[in-house]
Amino acid sequence: MSPLATNLKASLEAEAKQFHDVVDDNMEVSWPEFLRAWGELREIDILKRDDEGAYYIEKK
Amino acid sequence: MASKGFRSFLDDLDAAGELRRLTKPVDCRQLSALGEQADEATMFENIEGYPGWRVATALVSTRKRLAVAMGCPEKRIAFEFESRSAKPINPVTVETAPCQEVVMEGDAVDLTAIPLPLMHLFDGGPYISGTFAVSIDEDHGPNVGCYRLMYRTPRETGIDLVSPSDMRFYYQRALDKGKPLPIAIAVGVHPLDMLAASYKAPIDTSELALAGGLRGEPLEMVKCKTLDLEVPAGAELVLEGELLPIGWTADEGPFGEFSQISGDVKWNPIFRVNCITHRKDPIFYMLQMPWENDWLAAPVTEAAGLQALRVASVQPVDIRAPVGSCGYWSLIASIKKRPGEGKNAVAALLSVAEVKYVIVTDDDIDIHDPDELDWAIAFRVQADQDAIILKGARAKHIDPSVKSWLLGKGGLPTTAKLGIDATIPEGVPKILYRRIKNYGRDSIKLEDFE
């Protein structure tokens, strides 16, 4: 997993966030790089959604 | 004569003074907000991180620009749509196509190489909002529709297949056999092709021939690189792949819906992309929600209303699908009425797709003037006689009032519909509706006294 994907994972384990909040936290990252890291989380199928559509990851 | 295409339409907008070009670098996270603020359609010439790509948006976000696409006056759009759609022209197949100048297959497929925009505050991810989606069923042949795609991975997107549609039907048939459904997604086609794609045609009606009718020339198609499907040759970008046979199990959304609501998380299939093709200098089309979708929906709804009225042997004079109800959920029509036809017209218009609110007036009412409509409803309607409620009709999930969250994954909602017959009631003398007119109005002119 890339360092950025690792950071995203830790962030979503800590609290549920809307997608735009995740984007806001990573504005210094180029858009293609951000999308690739997001895709890494999708590929391992760990992203969950709460009732308001926010993303979170269950901490194991 | 050059064929109608995405680029010829951009030229038409330019000539009409309806296209703004922005040359400063723009990030994909800024595209939507900038496009929404512009009074014109916008072409972003310089996309950060995506050399060689441009992005166009808000191309038909007003009725004026839709009229440019149709090549007719604004008030004639519905009637032009109706008459042209009655003269379909079959597509033709070409051997080579601009949309296949660049080809990425297999491991080379990377959706992050496309400038996918983050469009709305509560969207579940970046979206491809303006698509011309082609699928095929062995019994029913090819079908075209418009479906949004949410980025998931470099090889996968979500796709909104919640509402009833032909592609949903095709997908269900493939799913029942445990097979994926091959589909191809074209992005960046002429608005007339988008109109045809969004038309609720009977399942065996060719949207491709309808597109030809609207254009007045055949739509040029080219065979996909990896699928036994054809896509518009002049498209800017094509995604070839398959809907995985997983049913309605993957989270998708929210997305800024054409109902002007953020929407909620839905459960949908996944689109696996196996090949990407595009032009050498591609323009990504970001369909600006909700207005572009609404103005594309309006003539389709209006034409369906005209057709329903004619089938009911009612003579329409004017019709509009107001943008306030997204060009989709309501219809207002004026008719040349014979006794009883106010009710016939209401019943006919309520049968159109998911239209849930209808007003029918006589032809002395200007249905584009809200004050005229209020007047007709105030003085020509008795609620116990002229309001019709139809219960249990087909609905769309994105209408919160249908409570679709109670249905479970894949469930289909229903709705009640309201029709108002605001024509002069039978038995009321027309003289009682004689309007005030100032004495000498036609002959005495203010400017003669200034």
Side-chain angles (χ1 to χ4, degrees):
Chain A
M1 189 179 286
S2 67
L4 178 56
T6 303
N7 288 345
L8 295 179
K9 179 171 178 283
S11 167
L12 293 173
E13 282 175 341
E15 61 176 325
K17 291 185 175 183
Q18 294 288 344
F19 184 76
H20 70 83
D21 289 324
V22 184
V23 172
D24 288 346
D25 292 343
N26 293 278
M27 287 301 284
E28 77 287 357
V29 177
S30 79
W31 188 235
E33 184 184 353
F34 176 84
L35 292 184
R36 281 192 288 274
W38 186 257
E40 288 182 60
L41 301 185
R42 280 290 194 192
E43 280 166 356
I44 57 176
D45 199 21
I46 58 172
L47 290 173
K48 300 196 179 304
R49 312 296 295 271
D50 69 12
D51 291 343
E52 295 185 2
Y55 289 95
Y56 67 96
I57 296 172
E58 287 176 347
K59 204 167 184 176
K60 291 181 179 171
Chain B
M1 187 181 75
S3 177
K4 288 187 178 72
F6 190 69
R7 297 194 178 206
S8 73
F9 178 59
L10 291 171
D11 292 340
D12 292 342
L13 286 178
D14 228 350
E18 289 285 327
L19 183 66
R20 174 192 295 238
R21 294 179 186 275
L22 291 185
T23 55
K24 286 186 177 177
V26 173
D27 188 276
C28 283
R29 291 161 278 202
Q30 301 169 319
L31 290 165
S32 182
L34 291 170
E36 192 271 337
Q37 292 172 57
D39 291 332
E40 307 89 356
T42 306
M43 173 76 92
F44 298 96
E45 305 274 3
N46 188 348
I47 312 299
E48 284 182 10
Y50 297 90
W53 283 86
R54 290 177 287 169
V55 175
T57 191
L59 303 187
V60 285
S61 59
T62 65
R63 198 168 178 91
K64 181 179 181 183
R65 279 174 233 153
L66 186 59
V68 171
M70 291 288 290
C72 72
E74 289 179 46
K75 279 197 170 186
R76 287 293 307 164
I77 288 174
F79 293 92
E80 279 290 319
F81 185 96
E82 185 190 35
S83 65
R84 293 187 202 175
S85 62
K87 292 171 274 189
I89 299 172
N90 286 326
V92 295
T93 303
V94 297
E95 294 301 316
T96 59
C99 71
Q100 295 177 337
E101 287 170 344
V102 176
V103 179
M104 293 179 280
E105 284 187 64
D107 291 341
V109 168
D110 182 4
L111 291 170
T112 70
I114 300 167
L116 305 179
L118 176 57
M119 295 182 65
H120 315 110
L121 189 61
F122 292 106
D123 286 1
Y127 266 87
I128 302 176
S129 54
T131 69
F132 183 98
V134 187
S135 56
I136 194 163
D137 178 272
E138 57 191 11
D139 293 329
H140 296 283
N143 184 269
V144 181
C146 301
Y147 302 88
R148 70 192 194 205
L149 305 176
M150 185 180 85
Y151 172 80
R152 288 176 63 89
T153 77
R155 289 287 302 271
E156 291 179 350
T157 76
I159 180 169
D160 183 13
L161 217 58
V162 165
S163 294
S165 69
D166 292 340
M167 188 191 280
R168 178 182 167 122
F169 176 68
Y170 285 9
Y171 178 65
Q172 183 67 63
R173 281 165 59 87
L175 184 63
D176 291 344
K177 298 171 188 166
K179 293 182 176 177
L181 179 71
I183 68 169
I185 304 287
V187 178
V189 298
H190 195 281
L192 295 179
D193 305 333
M194 296 292 286
L195 271 175
S198 60
Y199 187 57
K200 290 267 184 197
I203 194 164
D204 293 322
T205 298
S206 167
E207 290 90 356
L208 298 174
L210 174 61
L214 294 177
R215 293 163 151 265
E217 63 182 19
L219 179 59
E220 292 186 346
M221 304 289 285
V222 68
K223 188 176 180 304
C224 287
K225 290 291 183 184
T226 61
L227 299 172
D228 192 17
L229 285 174
E230 292 187 345
V231 289
E236 296 291 325
L237 164 72
V238 176
L239 310 178
E240 302 179 11
E242 56 194 10
L243 299 185
L244 302 181
I246 59 170
W248 286 262
T249 60
D251 64 285
E252 184 274 333
F255 180 62
E257 306 272 7
F258 78 108
S259 58
Q260 306 172 28
I261 295 170
S262 277
D264 54 9
V265 176
K266 293 175 175 149
W267 298 96
N268 269 306
I270 289 176
F271 173 41
R272 168 71 59 83
V273 182
N274 296 321
C275 178
I276 297 175
T277 74
H278 62 73
R279 290 177 179 247
K280 282 179 182 165
D281 57 343
I283 303 171
F284 181 81
Y285 173 44
M286 178 178 71
L287 183 143
Q288 186 78 290
M289 300 293 288
W291 307 118
E292 260 190 290
N293 199 315
D294 293 355
W295 284 122
L296 280 170
V300 175
T301 308
E302 291 163 357
L306 289 175
Q307 187 180 23
L309 290 172
R310 296 191 205 286
V311 169
S313 298
V314 176
Q315 186 180 345
V317 174
D318 203 352
I319 193 164
R320 72 184 180 97
V323 76
S325 51
C326 312
Y328 192 81
W329 274 273
S330 67
L331 273 171
I332 301 170
S334 60
I335 62 170
K336 277 199 179 303
K337 180 191 168 187
R338 295 174 296 188
E341 288 187 343
K343 301 291 187 298
N344 283 47
V346 166
L349 294 177
L350 286 178
S351 74
V352 172
E354 281 82 19
V355 167
K356 61 183 283 195
Y357 172 51
V358 160
I359 303 172
V360 174
T361 73
D362 297 289
D363 63 343
D364 63 323
I365 300 297
D366 178 1
I367 62 170
H368 300 272
D369 182 341
D371 293 335
E372 282 277 289
L373 277 176
D374 283 346
W375 183 84
I377 292 170
F379 296 112
R380 295 179 178 180
V381 173
Q382 288 296 305
D384 63 335
Q385 298 167 44
D386 299 315
I388 298 169
I389 293 175
L390 187 64
K391 296 179 182 174
R394 195 176 71 189
K396 283 189 90 70
H397 292 76
I398 53 176
D399 173 357
S401 70
V402 303
K403 301 179 181 175
S404 57
W405 66 88
L406 299 175
L407 298 168
K409 294 176 182 177
L412 296 174
T414 62
T415 190
K417 298 186 171 196
L418 169 65
I420 298 174
D421 174 8
T423 60
I424 295 175
E426 277 75 33
V428 177
K430 283 197 173 181
I431 195 169
L432 295 179
Y433 290 104
R434 193 164 58 185
R435 307 291 287 267
I436 290 176
K437 188 176 180 183
N438 295 84
Y439 173 75
R441 167 88 179 274
D442 297 335
S443 57
I444 302 170
K445 301 298 178 191
L446 182 60
E447 56 263 33
D448 294 338
F449 293 84
E450 289 179 327

